[in-house]
Amino acid sequence: MSQTQMQSQSQAEAPRVFTETETPMVELRQVSRRFAKKLDIAAKLARRLGADVREEIVHAVDHVDLRVRKGEVVGLVGESGCGKSTLGRIVAGILPQSEGQVLWNGQDVSTMQGEAAKIGKLRRQMIFQDPYASLNPRMRVADIVGEAPLVHGLTTRANFDTYVDEQMRRAGLDPAFKRRYPHQFSGGQRQRIGIARALAVAPEFIVCDEAVAALDVSIQAQILNLFMKLRRDLDLTYLFISHDLGVVEHLSDRVVIMYLGRVVEEAPTERVFSGANHPYTQSLLASVPRIGNRKRAFATVKGEIPSPLNPPPGCHFHPRCPHAFDRCRVEVPKLREIAPGQRSACHLNDAA
Amino acid sequence: MAETTTAATAAAPTLEVRNLQTHFFTRAGVVRAVDDVSFTIGRGKVLGLVGESGSGKTVTGFSIMKLVDPPGRIVGGSILFQGKDLATRSEEEMRNLRGNRIAMIFQDPMMTLNPVLRIDTQMIETVQAHEKVSEADARARARDALGMVGIPSPDERLKSYPHQFSGGMRQRVAIAIALLHRPDLIVADEPTTALDVTIQGQILAEVQKLCATTGTAMLWITHDLSVVAGLADDIAVMYAGRVVEFGDVGEVLDKPLHPYTHGLIGSVPSRNKRGEPLRQIPGMTPSLLNLPEGCSFRARCPRAAADCIVMPELHPWLPQRLARCHHPHLEEVAAA
């Protein structure tokens, strides 16, 4: 295993250099998203009568900073309930944030108006996890793929068929199937339809939310290869959300790790896998089953992921952290640069 | 139990499946979901049964439990549990075995748990279904089982309902129920697939410990090669209803014989150079309704030749290594 890893590192092409000063394509500044469960009539009544009933608020995303530069693939990793999908939706512009700013090419999205706002939104597209739920079962493939470009004037009625054919071919689908409905396709092919739909409006930035999680290994490889080919051909930028560290390691230039709504670590991919700093990242890496492992004791992180309804105070990871001390229980650690390009939110870095 | 069977128990492996065939007789035709599956699991051993969706791995698990419902039917082969064929057992005998000597863990723990009953009710019921014990003793057994799978404060948790547990905890309860009678065999169907990695790691660690200490044999059905790599002793790879390769986990994963296993392992991202295209298997899994003649992997196989039109047998190419292929990757094994 270690041998192959070394080999792959030495032979890998030189990583693309991104300067710190260039304007990121997408930037989030202190973005938060809260979901509140509204009180129903009975609860409101009870509260009026003096009962201690409060709205339940989930901090799905809690003051997150994120920068994605043009041409970069950023992997966003975390376990269920960490807010990675919510963050992805905010980035894609299909879910408004409760607080903070989203910048597109340096411009605040909320200040963009009219045509500029529309185009800004169109340039950011999303590919979803479930290829069964994300396609309208009553629409033919041609309409699923072609509806948006037609509405946005990227093609005309007259050229519709050629345009759709081209989009389908690019995603590895046979255009002969364009009169079919989604249920006539397998999972991998449906994911290709989702990809064709996203690419049909000529986006520059794609959010892939667990886009290969539902697929078998051999199909997953086909789709990942397609993602990489499209990146080269169309000069795309990706935010690749996944819980699968193997996939993220393979694809990303930079990895961002989230835990319960906060970013805990951010670093270039090699750095995360060779020198993870945050205890959560370290335990996550230790828990991942690897095909090179043989009949060995699985490493375990103690405890469970706390409920986001009632997260622990201070550092969210402290109840499970083997190195937690008093300060972790009261003070939220800040995301600080600890090495070039590597940022981590852990009090241990101050002690050292 | 008669003397002869006791003697057989000592010698025979916990489970031996021979040429198992389970077909579904649908209106669209006969679906050969499982068509010639053979493997053995020894006492205290873990066998990883690996395959992609539709390869028949779950139906194999259900066939062993004899839980296949019409239009499905076991049409051939034998399932020898401690040397005795399950196929010949009556439904009542099977009911005595299930949950007692053979237990099953499902992907979704809510398949095991009744949402409207407290955990203690369900666990005590399970104990008393197979053994004449007092409720107090049964409760003690239930509590111990919960403790064994790593559930904190088991006494209080016994009084909870399933919805009060998280997904990982619920799966632990399902495993605890499976362990209540210290079964000789556990059939686990993708039990950690729906869980987060850190929780999956915890459960795998518990399972590993349990198999080693109790001597329970385990059939671990999964699509995840990495889980099998760390957990299992042996591995059986399924493709289109058949076992195509069987052998020691380390040997199969390092030097696969069958081109399908080879392709499957090659397509795992960590086995590839970062940023390079992943090796992929061309094409798709064929429909089980309409399998090609001969080797079912033929159309996708880079090593296919004219003789692949004849279905290959599961052949022992190497000691303890079986592969269903006319042209296995023997040269790579020899080179290593």
Side-chain angles (χ1 to χ4, degrees):
Chain A
M1 184 65 204
S2 64
Q3 212 175 12
T4 48
Q5 249 177 5
M6 269 171 2
Q7 223 174 26
S8 68
Q9 267 173 17
S10 64
Q11 288 176 8
E13 49 187 300
R16 207 171 150 158
V17 182
F18 298 99
T19 55
E20 280 295 321
T21 47
E22 76 180 275
T23 311
M25 186 173 231
V26 169
E27 185 174 2
L28 302 189
R29 286 191 192 153
Q30 292 293 305
V31 164
S32 298
R33 173 72 208 196
R34 292 180 294 271
F35 292 101
K37 195 178 134 200
K38 289 268 183 300
L39 296 175
D40 56 12
I41 290 180
K44 277 182 186 160
L45 255 173
R47 188 164 65 171
R48 190 157 290 180
L49 294 172
D52 183 26
V53 189
R54 261 169 293 176
E55 281 190 355
E56 290 187 326
I57 295 175
V58 178
H59 289 262
V61 173
D62 192 5
H63 295 99
V64 166
D65 288 322
L66 182 80
R67 295 152 70 93
V68 184
R69 285 159 293 203
K70 186 164 173 50
E72 200 178 24
V73 177
V74 173
L76 185 59
V77 179
E79 296 183 278
S80 39
C82 75
K84 54 187 193 300
S85 289
T86 306
L87 192 69
R89 281 162 191 259
I90 293 172
V91 172
I94 58 174
L95 188 75
Q97 68 274 25
S98 314
E99 251 174 58
Q101 284 180 299
V102 178
L103 282 79
W104 172 251
N105 287 324
Q107 200 188 347
D108 191 335
V109 170
S110 62
T111 64
M112 286 158 74
Q113 295 204 333
E115 195 66 10
K118 206 170 88 178
I119 288 176
K121 237 177 188 172
L122 213 54
R123 295 285 173 267
R124 290 174 280 153
Q125 287 297 317
M126 188 151 177
I127 295 165
F128 299 90
Q129 168 170 12
D130 187 347
Y132 290 81
S134 59
L135 302 176
N136 186 338
R138 290 164 186 266
M139 280 170 81
R140 295 181 193 275
V141 174
D143 296 321
I144 290 174
V145 174
E147 188 187 35
L150 195 63
V151 169
H152 290 285
L154 289 158
T155 182
T156 56
R157 269 281 162 217
N159 292 327
F160 184 80
D161 278 325
T162 11
Y163 191 82
V164 168
D165 287 2
E166 190 195 325
Q167 302 305 322
M168 287 182 71
R169 229 175 270 126
R170 194 160 63 191
L173 286 163
D174 186 348
F177 295 156
K178 68 180 166 187
R179 307 298 301 160
R180 293 197 181 180
Y181 288 97
H183 74 264
Q184 293 170 294
F185 293 87
S186 69
Q189 282 175 312
R190 282 159 165 267
Q191 203 55 283
R192 288 178 192 271
I193 299 172
I195 293 168
R197 174 179 63 183
L199 293 177
V201 291
E204 296 167 24
F205 184 86
I206 307 260
V207 177
C208 304
D209 186 7
E210 299 273 12
V212 294
L215 306 176
D216 276 320
V217 194
S218 66
I219 307 299
Q220 173 181 299
Q222 294 176 0
I223 300 293
L224 288 176
N225 283 346
L226 178 63
F227 277 136
M228 287 190 278
K229 181 179 176 294
L230 292 170
R231 179 197 181 188
R232 277 194 307 275
D233 295 354
L234 304 172
D235 195 20
L236 292 172
T237 306
Y238 289 125
L239 179 66
F240 201 89
I241 303 171
S242 180
H243 69 280
D244 188 333
L245 283 161
V247 170
V248 167
E249 179 179 12
H250 189 77
L251 216 68
S252 320
D253 300 307
R254 207 151 51 84
V255 179
V256 175
I257 293 122
M258 281 184 80
Y259 187 72
L260 273 182
R262 294 181 190 152
V263 171
V264 294
E265 186 163 1
E266 182 190 337
T269 306
E270 307 84 50
R271 186 75 194 145
V272 167
F273 289 90
S274 64
N277 174 273
H278 198 281
Y280 175 64
T281 317
Q282 289 167 359
S283 44
L284 195 64
L285 288 171
S287 304
V288 176
R290 293 204 163 249
I291 197 166
N293 295 337
R294 291 290 175 272
K295 202 62 189 168
R296 54 144 208 153
F298 284 93
T300 64
V301 198
K302 63 177 179 181
E304 285 196 76
I305 306 163
S307 158
L309 265 175
N310 188 17
C315 172
H316 281 167
F317 189 57
H318 84 253
R320 306 175 74 190
C321 182
H323 313 293
F325 57 103
D326 291 341
R327 189 176 166 200
C328 306
R329 288 178 252 281
V330 286
E331 190 186 331
V332 180
K334 286 215 165 55
L335 198 61
R336 286 196 310 117
E337 185 146 55
I338 52 157
Q342 184 175 22
R343 303 200 298 156
S344 172
C346 182
H347 289 314
L348 289 168
N349 294 320
D350 296 345
Chain B
M1 212 182 266
E3 282 293 306
T4 47
T5 44
T6 326
T9 311
T14 303
L15 182 72
E16 186 175 357
V17 175
R18 281 191 209 142
N19 309 103
L20 177 69
Q21 286 180 300
T22 304
H23 296 175
F24 287 79
F25 299 89
T26 66
R27 255 195 287 174
V30 180
V31 178
R32 298 160 180 269
V34 173
D35 207 19
D36 205 347
V37 164
S38 308
F39 54 77
T40 50
I41 314 175
R43 210 177 105 72
K45 296 284 180 197
V46 181
L47 172 74
L49 185 62
V50 179
E52 298 187 277
S53 12
S55 62
K57 53 192 195 302
T58 296
V59 175
T60 304
F62 275 73
S63 301
I64 292 165
M65 301 297 291
K66 287 188 76 181
L67 286 174
V68 180
D69 287 326
R73 213 168 62 224
I74 300 175
V75 293
S78 52
I79 305 162
L80 302 171
F81 175 65
Q82 299 180 328
K84 231 184 133 195
D85 196 353
L86 292 182
T88 60
R89 303 260 177 131
S90 69
E91 182 48 34
E92 199 188 330
E93 284 177 300
M94 274 314 292
R95 214 178 301 134
N96 286 330
L97 280 175
R98 276 189 222 118
N100 186 8
R101 302 325 321 148
I102 313 176
M104 185 149 187
I105 306 167
F106 299 91
Q107 173 168 359
D108 178 4
M110 290 314 281
M111 295 267 285
T112 309
L113 299 170
N114 185 331
V116 297
L117 293 178
R118 285 193 337 207
I119 299 297
D120 56 356
T121 320
Q122 304 191 40
M123 293 187 82
I124 290 167
E125 187 184 31
T126 312
V127 176
Q128 290 184 328
H130 297 289
E131 271 175 65
K132 272 205 154 71
V133 287
S134 72
E135 196 181 318
D137 288 349
R139 182 178 293 275
R141 283 257 292 271
R143 188 191 55 223
D144 294 345
L146 286 186
M148 208 157 35
V149 294
I151 292 185
S153 49
D155 275 309
E156 286 150 44
R157 295 307 261 163
L158 270 177
K159 298 194 192 90
S160 310
Y161 286 91
H163 73 267
Q164 293 169 309
F165 288 87
S166 66
M169 280 296 163
R170 235 178 258 160
Q171 193 59 279
R172 282 171 204 260
V173 173
I175 295 174
I177 291 178
L179 292 172
L180 278 173
H181 291 279
R182 301 208 161 239
D184 300 307
L185 173 69
I186 295 180
V187 177
D189 187 8
E190 304 255 15
T192 59
T193 305
L195 304 177
D196 279 312
V197 253
T198 53
I199 309 299
Q200 168 173 279
Q202 292 169 354
I203 290 195
L204 291 176
E206 301 286 356
V207 163
Q208 229 169 14
K209 210 162 63 191
L210 289 167
C211 278
T213 52
T214 59
T216 300
M218 173 96 75
L219 176 65
W220 192 274
I221 300 170
T222 183
H223 69 281
D224 192 337
L225 286 167
S226 326
V227 167
V228 167
L231 181 75
D233 299 284
D234 292 323
I235 184 171
V237 182
M238 280 188 79
Y239 183 78
R242 292 187 165 86
V243 169
V244 294
E245 180 151 8
F246 179 85
D248 173 79
V249 163
E251 288 184 34
V252 170
L253 292 183
D254 289 337
K255 303 172 204 87
L257 289 176
H258 198 282
Y260 173 66
T261 322
H262 201 267
L264 200 61
I265 294 167
S267 59
V268 173
S270 63
R271 279 285 163 110
N272 285 266
K273 260 187 275 172
R274 203 165 85 75
E276 297 266 302
L278 295 162
R279 283 181 293 257
Q280 59 183 47
I281 305 174
M284 294 190 302
T285 334
S287 157
L288 289 172
L289 265 172
N290 191 14
L291 283 176
E293 202 185 335
C295 174
S296 31
F297 189 58
R298 191 161 54 99
R300 306 172 73 186
C301 182
R303 295 166 77 97
D307 53 349
C308 297
I309 195 85
V310 180
M311 170 61 79
E313 290 298 312
L314 200 57
H315 178 77
W317 289 98
L318 296 165
Q320 310 296 316
R321 291 286 305 273
L322 300 151
R324 188 187 293 280
C325 183
H326 294 303
H327 310 282
H329 287 259
L330 283 171
E331 70 287 349
E332 286 171 35
V333 178

